[in-house]
Amino acid sequence: MPKRKSAPAEEPEGEPARRRSVRLQKPEDATPKPGDAGARKRVKATKKEAPEPEAEEPAAAKKAAPAKSKTTKAAEDATTTNGTAAPEGEPGQRNYWLLKAEPESRLENGVDVKFSIDDLAARTEPEPWDGIRAYAARNNLRAMKKGELAFFYHSNCKEPGIVGTMEIVREHTPDLSAHNPAAPYYDPKSSPSDPKWSVVHVKFRSKFPAPVTLKQLREMGGAGGPLANMQMLKQSRLSVSRVSEGEWEAVLKVMEGK
DNA sequence: GCCAACGTTGGC
DNA sequence: GCCAACGTTGGC
């Protein structure tokens, strides 16, 4: 399963195209309202196959992950294992995060997974950051606390970089989109009775006047630089990473200089 | 548990 | 579209 799945394999019957981008949303996740929610994010892709109708409605999707097979447990351990665990939330200590989404159209399981900072800014309800299908990324999602802030990063596009900020408004809840065969990041290995994946809900906070590009981030990531230990630079494939307070401030400083 | 093969992410 | 980096799987 290539990440891009390209075509539509099956079309979801239920939902033809959903929204703009990425995932769709569905409100099921818990959150309140139905409306919009769902969204995007990227994680890995998954596969699609097997449709088990368990899903509940269409859900949203995002990226998926590799689901693997069997060993569920093993997998989970793995999860934990590599999971980059998140920093523990120290009491009183505030953590910052970086979440990646793709601002350009791309089909995943037949669904366009595009989701940009502008898409988030247009939302009127908390947006579920769904589709994460990598344990390390998921573990970081689970470590997020309400009120914490995160950077919105545009990946797999013309100008990769941090384009704005958002706030975690709801801590992790099960990512039900994983059970929807029509969702972009459907994961047949996850069951409603034992959900493997999680979402957090976020809300838009700001859009930078100009992106802080990946190129700039790397320049600040050199030895001795303010981003020398930044997780996203060290683990380029991680779609949900941790950001220290110093890193957060260094990026904002660059943004302000623009 | 180690580690090689595999498969995905994501920049270019 | 290519391909390097690296996370995940699965045999041993």
Side-chain angles (χ1 to χ4, degrees):
Chain A
M1 31 208 97
K3 98 185 353 201
R4 331 154 159 270
K5 300 191 141 245
S6 24
E10 18 192 341
E11 310 265 328
E13 336 195 344
E15 4 209 322
R18 262 168 168 262
R19 355 166 142 227
R20 31 172 157 21
S21 8
V22 177
R23 356 241 90 26
L24 346 157
Q25 347 252 331
K26 57 214 5 240
E28 26 180 343
D29 336 50
T31 327
K33 347 305 312 324
D36 9 325
R40 58 293 321 11
K41 320 33 192 264
R42 71 183 44 292
V43 174
K44 315 172 146 237
T46 351
K47 25 217 58 293
K48 32 185 93 262
E49 11 202 291
E52 311 257 323
E54 10 191 319
E56 326 154 353
E57 334 184 356
K62 307 166 150 216
K63 313 233 56 295
K68 319 320 265 28
S69 25
K70 37 216 82 298
T71 11
T72 317
K73 291 186 159 215
E76 304 238 338
D77 296 343
T79 314
T80 330
T81 312
N82 33 300
T84 313
E88 332 41 83
E90 312 270 332
Q93 186 81 313
R94 201 165 206 204
N95 296 306
Y96 294 86
W97 310 94
L98 181 148
L99 306 187
K100 298 179 181 180
E102 300 176 63
E104 296 176 5
S105 291
R106 183 174 69 75
L107 296 180
E108 191 69 63
N109 194 20
V111 181
D112 190 348
V113 296
K114 168 187 175 296
F115 191 74
S116 69
I117 184 74
D118 292 324
D119 291 319
L120 179 63
R123 291 277 146 94
T124 56
E125 297 291 335
E127 180 72 7
W129 202 268
D130 56 12
I132 299 302
R133 302 289 182 270
Y135 293 114
R138 177 258 251 167
N139 290 343
N140 274 337
L141 280 182
R142 291 184 175 182
M144 296 178 182
K145 299 299 181 189
K146 182 176 179 179
E148 290 182 338
L149 304 177
F151 283 131
F152 191 118
Y153 179 91
H154 279 174
S155 70
N156 201 18
C157 59
K158 273 333 187 180
E159 186 176 57
I162 295 173
V163 297
T165 64
M166 57 194 141
E167 178 183 340
I168 307 305
V169 296
R170 185 179 190 192
E171 293 177 17
H172 77 91
T173 53
D175 183 353
L176 304 180
S177 71
H179 312 137
N180 175 12
Y185 298 102
Y186 170 56
D187 178 7
K189 301 306 193 293
S190 183
S191 69
S193 59
D194 184 25
K196 292 169 55 179
W197 309 114
S198 303
V199 298
V200 290
H201 283 70
V202 304
K203 77 172 179 186
F204 173 82
R205 287 276 296 228
S206 71
K207 178 181 177 179
F208 293 171
V212 174
T213 67
L214 175 60
K215 181 180 178 182
Q216 291 179 296
L217 295 174
R218 284 175 170 164
E219 290 170 352
M220 296 190 280
L227 305 186
N229 296 308
M230 194 174 194
Q231 188 176 30
M232 85 140 280
L233 292 176
K234 296 195 163 199
Q235 292 174 259
S236 64
R237 293 173 47 192
L238 235 200
S239 59
V240 179
S241 61
R242 191 181 340 141
V243 174
S244 71
E245 183 169 18
E247 290 162 353
W248 178 267
E249 295 175 347
V251 171
L252 291 183
K253 188 174 177 181
V254 172
M255 178 276 288
E256 292 166 356
K258 291 198 172 224

